[in-house]
Amino acid sequence: MTQAWPFEWQVGWRYLRAGRGGRSNRFISFISGVSMLGIALGVAALIVVLSVVNGFQREVRARMLDVIPHVQVDASAVGLDWHTLADEARRLDGVAALAPVVTVRALLGRGDVLRGTVLRGVSPADEVKVVPLAERLRNGPLAALKPGARQIVLGAELARELQVHTGDTVVVVSGAGEGESAAPRHHGFTVAGVFDSGHHEYDSTLALLHIDEALAIVHRPRAEALSVRLHDAQQAPQWARALAQRFDPRVAVHDWTRSNRIWFAAVAQQKRMLGLILALIIAVAAFNLVATLVMTVTDKRADIAILRTLGASPRSVMAIFVVQGALAGFAGTMGGVLLGLLIALNIETIVPAIERLLGRQLLPGNVYLISHMPSDPQMADIVPVALVSIGLALLATLYPSWRASRVDPAQALRYD
């Protein structure tokens, strides 16, 4: 025969769901329900917010790695050829592909419109192995990038700002070469195509051209920088540090985590602050249980006195109200987890519906880098949120349950 639950659990559960037997019981039950609802909403809000922040990080990271290499090495300060850099890079484990690159900061113009641009000179055959964006453009605009063809591929936002389309002509305005006059130099290029990476920063500033034509713009005989793709992008910081130790300190070795580092740091800080603020909302809701339990203790003084008279110890009386508060906290927390996951897993459907209802875009791409609301619920966030919520609920039960254990049976029965 299955052993019955301890009477403390049975009485605590009965007090939690007491909704009949008089106006007082119904009111206490209502307040208890409001407390559980407050906990549920707080937990759900925290899970949704943390999931959205995780989603932003995931989306921006994925789109960034779609456009840039995992590691870039620049030896222009010491004049090392990219082949020398490649030989050293291959000595380290984890290299998937290598490609030469020339980066030029210049102005790109058409008519009266000028825009600051980062020109990336690439070798199409090598670049497709290093950057996923190049792989997608392999049989399209990238195929047009040939020595002497004077072709250029623009980011979608950059092309929109310049009001150009495939086949139009644009002018690259670069600084003077060594030994030349200070007057800027102009280079005409034909737009071979447009790419859309989904990352506003790169779509609005990046342009691709053949590496030989980039070298001609900067008046250098060879490429002195190297793009590296690793088998594991997460190992890029450690790999970059190991490679940097093999070169002169003037050789710049940058991994992808250093791109937009300020943005990532700001997002991480915002995640911590939002977590703290919303945890305080959960704390407020959890401590509403204090009022509920105090009212229950006051209402059940006669019951407590009878239990004590029948032999219940102060510890058992205290356990009854701890159980009541803990069950309320657990129910509210589990409800909040389910609600939060329901919203987080469907937020990419919910937000567009809200945007259509309001008639405006909630996430402008030029501000938030991406134009939709991503979500990435992670157990590493959900479990701590649930544990903190239940812990706060347990903490809220301590004073009311201690007060219940101090009820004097003689005094309670005399006045009730």
Side-chain angles (χ1 to χ4, degrees), residues 19 64 201:
M64 182 184 299
E201 179 179 348

Side-chain angles (χ1 to χ4, degrees), residues 6-16 307 320 323-324:
F7 85 93
E8 294 92 344
W9 282 82
Q10 297 181 42
V11 176
W13 169 247
R14 180 171 180 173
Y15 284 172
L16 176 65
L307 287 172
I320 289 171
V323 167
Q324 181 185 353

Side-chain angles (χ1 to χ4, degrees), residues 250-335:
R250 290 175 294 172
V251 175
V253 182
H254 300 289
D255 64 89
W256 67 270
T257 63
R258 298 184 63 178
S259 300
N260 283 330
R261 171 176 287 184
I262 295 176
W263 187 89
F264 279 114
V267 169
Q269 180 67 19
Q270 289 173 357
K271 182 178 179 180
R272 288 192 292 269
M273 295 306 299
L274 287 170
L276 177 60
I277 293 170
L278 293 175
L280 292 176
I281 295 176
I282 297 175
V284 171
F287 279 97
N288 283 338
L289 289 174
V290 175
T292 302
L293 294 175
V294 168
M295 293 172 64
T296 304
V297 169
T298 303
D299 186 64
K300 303 297 183 182
R301 285 173 60 88
D303 293 1
I304 296 170
I306 293 172
L307 287 172
R308 290 293 307 278
T309 302
L310 293 175
S313 66
R315 174 176 290 185
S316 294
V317 172
M318 186 173 182
I320 289 171
F321 293 95
V322 170
V323 167
Q324 181 185 353
L327 289 176
F330 182 80
T333 298
M334 291 302 101

